[in-house]
Amino acid sequence: MDKKKIYQPSEILIGGHLFTIEYKKMTDFGDIDVDKRIISIRKNLPKETTLDTILHEALHACLSLSGLGFLIDNDNFEEALVRAIENLVVPTFKREHLNYIASLT
C-alpha cells in the first residue's frame, strides 16, 4: 500500500537566506523567527494550506530582510500588507506550484 506523499519542505531560500521550516503542534497556522531563520508551520495541515502558510511567512521574512519591516511598527498593518500581497500576487505564481503538489499524490 502506497503512503500518500505529503508536502513538507524542510527549508526555503528567501532573499539569499536559508530558512529552516519546522512542523509542530501550534495554534496558529504559522510563525516566523527572522533572527533564527526558522519558519514554524502547524503540523498536519492540508498540502495547499501548508504551501499558503509557508508563502505567507516568507512574505513576512521579505519585509524584514528588505528593511521595510523597520518602517512598519504596527503588527496589524504588517499583517494586512502581507495578506494583500499574498491574495493579489501569490496566485499569479501558485498555479504552477500546485501542479507540482498535485503530482505528489
Side-chain angles (χ1 to χ4, degrees), residues 27-62:
T27 304
D28 291 333
F29 280 52
D31 195 21
I32 187 165
D33 185 326
V34 177
D35 294 329
K36 292 181 180 178
R37 306 287 194 257
I38 297 173
I39 294 174
S40 300
I41 304 294
R42 186 193 304 172
K43 287 172 72 170
N44 302 320
L45 290 174
K47 291 180 282 190
E48 187 172 356
T49 305
T50 297
L51 172 61
D52 289 342
T53 306
I54 291 169
L55 292 173
H56 178 95
E57 298 306 330
L59 289 170
H60 281 291
C62 290

Side-chain angles (χ1 to χ4, degrees), residues 9-100:
S10 59
E11 57 190 24
I12 184 172
L13 191 64
I14 304 169
H17 300 271
L18 190 63
F19 282 74
T20 300
I21 302 173
E22 60 181 30
Y23 300 86
K24 62 185 189 178
K25 186 176 179 180
M26 55 192 296
T27 304
D28 291 333
F29 280 52
D31 195 21
I32 187 165
D33 185 326
V34 177
D35 294 329
K36 292 181 180 178
R37 306 287 194 257
I38 297 173
I39 294 174
S40 300
I41 304 294
R42 186 193 304 172
K43 287 172 72 170
N44 302 320
L45 290 174
K47 291 180 282 190
E48 187 172 356
T49 305
T50 297
L51 172 61
D52 289 342
T53 306
I54 291 169
L55 292 173
H56 178 95
E57 298 306 330
L59 289 170
H60 281 291
C62 290
L63 289 175
S64 180
L65 294 171
S66 71
L68 291 173
F70 291 108
L71 297 174
I72 303 170
D73 60 357
N74 180 305
D75 289 340
N76 289 330
F77 181 77
E78 180 175 335
E79 190 64 26
L81 182 58
V82 165
R83 288 182 185 215
I85 295 168
E86 85 179 303
N87 288 306
L88 298 172
V89 177
V90 170
T92 304
F93 301 98
K94 187 175 165 184
R95 181 176 172 202
E96 293 303 316
H97 204 78
L98 285 178
N99 288 335
Y100 168 72

